[in-house]
Amino acid sequence: MKGIIKKVFCALMVAAVGISAAGCGEASTMERIEKSGKLVVGTSADYAPYEYHTMIEGKDTIIGIDISIVNEIAKDLGVQLEIVDTGFDGLLAALNSDKVDIVIAGMNPDEKRKKAVDFSKIYYEAKQGVMVRAEDKDKIKTIADLSGKNVGVQLGTTQEKIAQDQMTASKLVSLGKIPDLVMELKNNKIDALVVELPVANGYIKNNNDLALSEINVEEDSGGSAIAVKKGNEDFVALLNKSLDRLIEEGSIDKFVQEANEKNVTQ
Ligand code: ARG
């Protein structure tokens, strides 16, 4: 099929049966990266040690586990790296509208997201935790202790879902950014914050007024993976190859350690 006929046919097929536009003449993720010579990565840099802002030689810079990983991926692909920092809640929409080539943001590949995008293999696993004010650690030990209290979660995250499902007697406060939620906790506006353990531990290390509660959060979110627009299986295979290399070399563990050491989030 040629020209206009193919375009019309493709538009109909994409609309009618939801086939991937990539197979229909629209540039695939890989083609776009090759053409531009850069890998555009969407993230939400409010999530130390995964991705966060820090001052390096007087310049605001985004670093973290995920950034070290995509740096290596860009090297493997032989292209430049460009980071787009946006709210976590808007990341998959940015991916599906081609504003970014991939999303890496400590994102769990849950069933709902898998319907909208594809995921690489899991590159890192972490459990969930509940952060409280240090002075409340002995008072807030079970989910029942959170009854009637304000619990903070990041908007559109696994933690929001966990809190909705398991902390039904609490009032949920969903905000866009983790540092804002931590401020709310410190200022007694919320009483607990559900986050991934590495995130909680970073804040606790740097703030002695914060502590990890004994609360055990049940979850099966199964770790973090990179999101890619559907219909890019070959590109996902390339990403997995890079991730395999990094996992085998022990680089991811090294990135985690480095990001934890550099994490001075107040
Ligand atoms: N792991 C959680 C999720 O997938 C939270 C991730 C938040 N990431 C961030 N960069 N703020 O929903």
Side-chain angles (χ1 to χ4, degrees), residues 179-199:
D180 295 337
L181 286 158
V182 174
M183 282 313 289
E184 299 280 288
L185 181 59
K186 283 177 169 252
N187 294 331
N188 301 307
K189 299 267 172 36
I190 58 174
D191 305 294
L193 177 54
V194 188
V195 277
E196 248 127 351
L197 270 184
V199 179

Side-chain angles (χ1 to χ4, degrees), residues 43-44 46-47 51 88 105-108 113 154 156-159 178 196:
T43 194
S44 172
D46 65 333
Y47 212 53
E51 45 263 330
F88 185 82
M107 186 180 275
N108 310 125
R113 291 174 182 155
Q154 186 173 25
T157 58
T158 312
Q159 290 78 16
I178 295 287
E196 248 127 351

Side-chain angles (χ1 to χ4, degrees), residues 85-129:
D85 181 16
T86 184
F88 185 82
D89 201 29
L91 282 172
L92 294 189
L95 183 63
N96 277 338
S97 57
D98 294 333
K99 296 207 172 61
V100 298
D101 299 317
I102 60 174
V103 164
I104 190 163
M107 186 180 275
N108 310 125
D110 66 23
E111 291 311 313
K112 190 164 164 233
R113 291 174 182 155
K114 277 192 203 159
K115 288 198 181 107
V117 296
D118 284 340
F119 282 96
S120 71
K121 65 182 343 177
I122 303 285
Y123 60 83
Y124 184 61
E125 284 188 59
K127 295 218 169 320
Q128 310 292 335

